Amino acid sequence: MTTDIIAPPTVGQTKNLIAGQWIDAQSGETFDTYSPSTGRAIARVASGDSNDINQAVTAARKAFESGPWPKMSARDRGKLLFKLADLIEENAQELAALEVLNNGKPISEVLAADIPLMISTFRYYAGWADKVYGETIPVDAPGYFCYTRKEPVGVCGQIIPWNFPMLMLTWKWAPALASGCTMVLKPAEQTPLTALRLGELAVEAGIPKGVINIVNGFGETAGDALVKHPGVDKIAFTGEYKTAQIIMANAAPTLKRLTFELGGKSPNVVFADADLNKAVAGAMAGIFFNQGEVCCAGSRLFIEEEIHDEFVSRFSDAADARKVGDPFDTSTEQGAQVSKEQFDKVMSYIELGKQEANCVAGGESVGDKGWFVRPTIFTNVQNDMRIAQEEIFGPVVSVIPFKDTNEVIEQSNTTIYGLAAAVWTRDISKAFRLSESMRAGTVWVNCYNTFDAGAPFGGYKYSGQGRECGKDALNNYLETKTVWVNTN
Ligand code: NAI
Ligand code: MG
């Protein structure tokens, strides 16, 4: 691969977007945002609180109730989503570089994964906009005509994390826009910059003012105010399950609709009859993609005993060979962890792992600036150890040997989470048996981390509630109205 260093972009927008205007926080407060690959502050961003949230919710309510948005035809709404997708495509290089700057992920991955997925998601939901409609119901009441309408749920509060800042925004904006909702987005405090650039592109696309509002700030202030605001009909949240528990409690008094996409400790199961080359590559991508900051990361790797040693030897060679470093270098495979806090969390789990199990690859940080961690593999792990049960959200994997199918099914499901699972085998009955037995929202067979705008994604158990992507996600943003007409 040729090595090319992309120039870091200059930071543009740092204010909040409310009712189509870019404005400072009412308090005048700002917070620093960082470049994870240098550890340095790169910009000061408007720090919103309950006053800014109130202003944004008021704008979103007005746009929902009396702006051009509710009157616009669904087909025209679809056109605006297509336009936004086109603008993202035109500005892909700049958006990608800004994501790298603020998140630390490698440029090659943003261009290969995040950007194309965003564009296809906006286009997918653009196509849905004019295909949302109800049914006529053959009711047992002579002379009565009964039908349903699908109506937008209203003002949506959207709270997103820092691991895929642009893609998580897209998974929230696209179905909400297609359904005719209006929204207030609260980006993660670690990674606000690309959301603001996308806000500018939404304005440029012609999405009416007040439909999309963005308030930056912290979870405990801006996020909390959004969850509690009586003018918000629904909250869509992605992040830690402990935060979701707080949100659920805080949303209870106003009975908001809630959807959650939360964490995981996903089992990746390799049988002895699998294609080992593919399984090793799949295990690598499964855990180390995006520095391991992936909700569906294959962080528990179950290996059938008879291939265990050979698998571990190939897997650790591949991990040792992985290129970790400057995310602006096009040949870099793994960038920096998002923040000092996450870096410290990952390193403390690595220290714990060294006490509980065997470290056969990595186990250390890289360099003296920025927040880089070597791909780390623990073997001799038991499923009940803390490193096998707690979400580390970094490039750290627990290898757990197994003897038979029943045992591995039982162990795979022994977790509070249920976001994803994978199985590697050439035996089709085993593949089906595991896909049915895994209590997880996505099961990958002989692959890992495949995503599509049309494929529902979300969790069982503590991994979430509701699904993003696909037709399922539209329903999160719709109410069903039943209309009875007496024609007698
Ligand atoms: P978090 O769940 O606290 O933050 C996610 C978003 O929620 C951010 O925008 C944050 O500002 C907001 N938030 C935080 N507290 C809130 C509150 N009380 N009310 C409303 N909004 C609130 O996640 P955090 O603290 O950044 O990371 C902690 C751990 O969570 C990570 O180490 C990782 O294990 C997990 N995580 C999982 C993610 C996933 O995709 N499933 C994404 C990010 C983190
Ligand atoms: Mg938190």
Side-chain angles (χ1 to χ4, degrees), residues 328-349:
F328 286 103
D329 181 331
T330 55
S331 67
T332 291
E333 295 169 299
Q334 186 177 306
Q337 308 308 128
V338 75
S339 64
K340 174 77 167 54
E341 191 186 349
Q342 287 300 311
F343 171 86
D344 288 343
K345 174 180 166 182
V346 173
M347 290 311 294
S348 77
Y349 273 108

Side-chain angles (χ1 to χ4, degrees), residues 256-279:
K256 289 186 174 64
R257 283 99 186 97
L258 299 172
T259 44
F260 293 135
E261 202 267 276
L262 311 173
K265 200 74 193 178
S266 297
N268 188 7
V269 178
V270 184
F271 284 98
D273 68 358
D275 178 327
L276 273 204
N277 288 332
K278 287 187 183 157

Side-chain angles (χ1 to χ4, degrees), residues 199-449:
E200 290 180 333
L201 295 181
V203 171
E204 192 182 331
I207 292 171
K209 65 178 187 187
V211 172
I212 290 178
N213 303 275
I214 307 174
V215 178
N216 296 290
F218 294 90
E220 293 71 16
T221 48
D224 181 82
L226 189 56
V227 169
K228 291 176 179 163
H229 201 292
V232 175
D233 299 288
K234 174 203 161 50
I235 295 285
F237 167 78
T238 300
E240 190 178 15
Y241 81 83
K242 290 177 185 156
T243 312
Q245 291 171 325
I246 296 170
I247 290 176
M248 213 174 215
N250 286 339
T254 46
L255 281 173
K256 289 186 174 64
R257 283 99 186 97
L258 299 172
T259 44
F260 293 135
E261 202 267 276
L262 311 173
K265 200 74 193 178
S266 297
N268 188 7
V269 178
V270 184
F271 284 98
D273 68 358
D275 178 327
L276 273 204
N277 288 332
K278 287 187 183 157
V280 169
M284 288 290 295
I287 184 64
F288 299 130
F289 172 58
N290 207 51
Q291 298 72 243
E293 294 171 347
V294 181
C295 46
C296 53
S299 49
R300 287 184 301 146
L301 184 56
F302 291 93
I303 308 290
E304 196 165 7
E305 250 180 21
E306 46 194 296
I307 54 158
H308 177 273
D309 293 353
E310 191 191 344
F311 188 96
V312 166
S313 135
R314 290 203 209 179
F315 184 41
S316 53
D317 286 350
D320 289 342
R322 191 167 167 83
K323 187 168 173 189
V324 181
D326 181 3
F328 286 103
D329 181 331
T330 55
S331 67
T332 291
E333 295 169 299
Q334 186 177 306
Q337 308 308 128
V338 75
S339 64
K340 174 77 167 54
E341 191 186 349
Q342 287 300 311
F343 171 86
D344 288 343
K345 174 180 166 182
V346 173
M347 290 311 294
S348 77
Y349 273 108
I350 288 177
E351 287 319 307
L352 174 68
K354 286 177 178 171
Q355 292 158 32
E356 287 185 321
N358 279 356
C359 185
V360 296
E364 59 198 12
S365 59
V366 183
D368 53 8
K369 72 175 167 69
W371 303 310
F372 297 90
V373 179
R374 284 246 30 113
T376 297
I377 302 172
F378 287 107
T379 58
N380 282 4
V381 179
Q382 277 152 30
N383 193 47
D384 59 0
M385 289 177 180
R386 281 186 57 203
I387 54 166
Q389 288 295 318
E390 295 173 19
E391 184 177 56
I392 298 174
F393 227 64
V396 183
V397 62
S398 294
V399 179
I400 308 172
F402 72 92
K403 283 200 190 71
D404 70 73
T405 310
N406 288 337
E407 174 201 354
V408 79
I409 289 172
E410 202 264 328
Q411 290 213 10
S412 299
N413 286 329
T414 304
T415 162
I416 57 169
Y417 294 110
L419 191 57
V423 52
W424 299 82
T425 178
R426 288 185 169 109
D427 178 340
I428 191 158
S429 3
K430 235 186 247 168
F432 275 107
R433 182 157 168 229
L434 260 81
S435 338
E436 281 168 28
S437 316
M438 303 283 210
R439 301 270 302 149
T442 297
V443 178
W444 285 297
V445 178
N446 294 331
C447 57
Y448 209 102
N449 278 342

